[in-house]
Amino acid sequence: QVHLVESGGGSVQAGGSLRLSCVASEYAYSRLCMAWFRQAPGKSPEGVASTSYGATEYANSVRGRFTISKDNAKNTLYLQMNSLKPEDTAMYYCAAGRPSTCSTTTPLSEYDYWGQGTQVTVSS
């Protein structure tokens, strides 16, 4: 059963914006913690933003540029990305679960579910 489906990725020039969406199954959406990760080629997954009980946290590399939000009526998690930089290029994944800590430093392996990802490419 597919629990999380991401969309909204694409190719943009530096300075541009994208909004990623993650539609979750009822079961996945009920998880206490939801987050966005990204993985660039040859690198480990990096926590970008997380949210739990309305609280949000961002990685230093994206704070002030990215915004994580939820639409409970649509079981959807969003990531609004502004002022994109070439170093933001990566595959982006959403995740849901009950990790020991809901934080951008929590490893992806501690989440119960994650999607197939959506590619974001930022050109200079």
Side-chain angles (χ1 to χ4, degrees):
Q1 183 178 359
V2 176
H3 289 284
L4 298 169
V5 179
E6 304 94 337
S7 64
S11 297
V12 297
Q13 291 191 326
S17 298
L18 285 172
R19 188 177 78 156
L20 306 184
S21 299
C22 172
V23 179
S25 67
E26 192 73 36
Y27 194 70
Y29 199 78
S30 67
R31 302 296 94 182
L32 296 179
C33 176
M34 297 191 76
W36 286 98
F37 284 78
R38 66 186 181 187
Q39 186 171 20
K43 295 188 176 181
S44 298
E46 171 193 19
V48 172
S50 64
T51 182
S52 178
Y53 290 116
T56 58
E57 182 180 320
Y58 298 93
N60 290 335
S61 58
V62 306
R63 188 175 294 113
R65 299 188 297 123
F66 290 11
T67 303
I68 188 172
S69 62
K70 297 173 70 178
D71 185 333
N72 295 331
K74 298 181 178 180
N75 282 10
T76 301
L77 180 73
Y78 299 102
L79 184 68
Q80 178 66 44
M81 306 187 295
N82 299 328
S83 302
L84 283 162
K85 304 176 181 180
E87 50 264 44
D88 294 320
T89 295
M91 185 71 79
Y92 283 71
Y93 302 88
C94 66
R98 298 174 182 265
S100 55
T101 304
C102 189
S103 167
T104 56
T105 60
T106 302
L108 182 59
S109 59
E110 288 198 22
Y111 287 81
D112 300 321
Y113 309 107
W114 53 89
Q116 293 299 306
T118 185
Q119 177 68 38
V120 172
T121 302
V122 184
S123 58
S124 57

Coordinates of all heavy atoms in Angstrom, one line a residue, residues 38 46-47 58-63 65 85 88:
R38 N 15.9 15.5 1.7 CA 16.4 15.5 0.4 C 17.7 14.7 0.3 O 18.4 14.6 1.3 CB 16.6 17.0 -0.1 CG 17.7 17.7 0.7 CD 17.7 19.2 0.2 NE 18.8 20.0 0.9 CZ 18.9 21.3 0.8 NH1 18.1 22.0 0.0 NH2 19.9 21.9 1.4
E46 N 19.2 14.2 3.9 CA 19.3 15.3 4.8 C 17.9 15.8 5.2 O 17.1 16.0 4.3 CB 20.1 16.4 4.1 CG 20.1 17.7 4.9 CD 20.6 18.9 4.0 OE1 20.5 18.8 2.8 OE2 20.9 19.9 4.6
G47 N 17.7 15.9 6.5 CA 16.4 16.5 6.9 C 16.3 17.9 6.6 O 17.2 18.7 6.9
Y58 N 13.6 23.8 10.9 CA 14.2 23.8 9.6 C 15.7 23.6 9.7 O 16.3 24.0 10.7 CB 13.9 25.2 8.9 CG 12.5 25.5 8.6 CD1 11.7 26.2 9.5 CD2 11.9 25.0 7.5 CE1 10.4 26.4 9.3 CE2 10.5 25.2 7.2 CZ 9.8 25.9 8.2 OH 8.4 26.1 7.9
A59 N 16.3 23.0 8.7 CA 17.7 22.9 8.6 C 18.3 24.3 8.4 O 17.6 25.2 7.7 CB 18.1 22.0 7.5
N60 N 19.5 24.6 8.9 CA 20.1 25.9 8.7 C 20.2 26.3 7.3 O 20.1 27.5 6.9 CB 21.5 25.9 9.4 CG 21.4 25.8 10.9 OD1 20.4 26.2 11.5 ND2 22.5 25.3 11.5
S61 N 20.4 25.4 6.4 CA 20.6 25.6 5.0 C 19.4 26.2 4.3 O 19.5 26.7 3.2 CB 21.2 24.4 4.3 OG 20.2 23.3 4.4
V62 N 18.2 26.0 4.9 CA 17.0 26.4 4.2 C 16.1 27.3 5.0 O 15.1 27.9 4.5 CB 16.1 25.1 3.8 CG1 16.9 24.1 3.0 CG2 15.5 24.5 5.0
R63 N 16.5 27.6 6.3 CA 15.7 28.4 7.1 C 15.6 29.8 6.5 O 16.6 30.4 6.0 CB 16.4 28.5 8.5 CG 15.5 29.3 9.5 CD 16.1 29.3 10.9 NE 16.1 27.9 11.4 CZ 17.2 27.2 11.7 NH1 18.4 27.8 11.4 NH2 17.2 26.0 12.2
R65 N 14.0 30.4 3.8 CA 13.6 30.3 2.4 C 12.5 29.2 2.1 O 11.7 29.3 1.2 CB 14.9 29.8 1.6 CG 16.0 30.8 1.7 CD 17.2 30.4 0.7 NE 17.8 29.2 1.1 CZ 17.8 28.1 0.2 NH1 17.3 28.2 -1.0 NH2 18.4 27.0 0.6
K85 N 18.5 27.7 -4.7 CA 19.9 27.8 -5.1 C 20.3 26.5 -5.8 O 19.7 25.4 -5.5 CB 20.7 28.0 -3.8 CG 20.4 29.2 -3.0 CD 21.2 29.2 -1.7 CE 20.8 30.4 -0.8 NZ 21.6 30.4 0.4
D88 N 20.4 23.4 -3.7 CA 19.1 22.7 -3.3 C 18.7 21.6 -4.2 O 17.8 20.9 -4.0 CB 18.0 23.8 -3.3 CG 18.1 24.9 -2.3 OD1 18.6 24.5 -1.2 OD2 17.9 26.0 -2.6

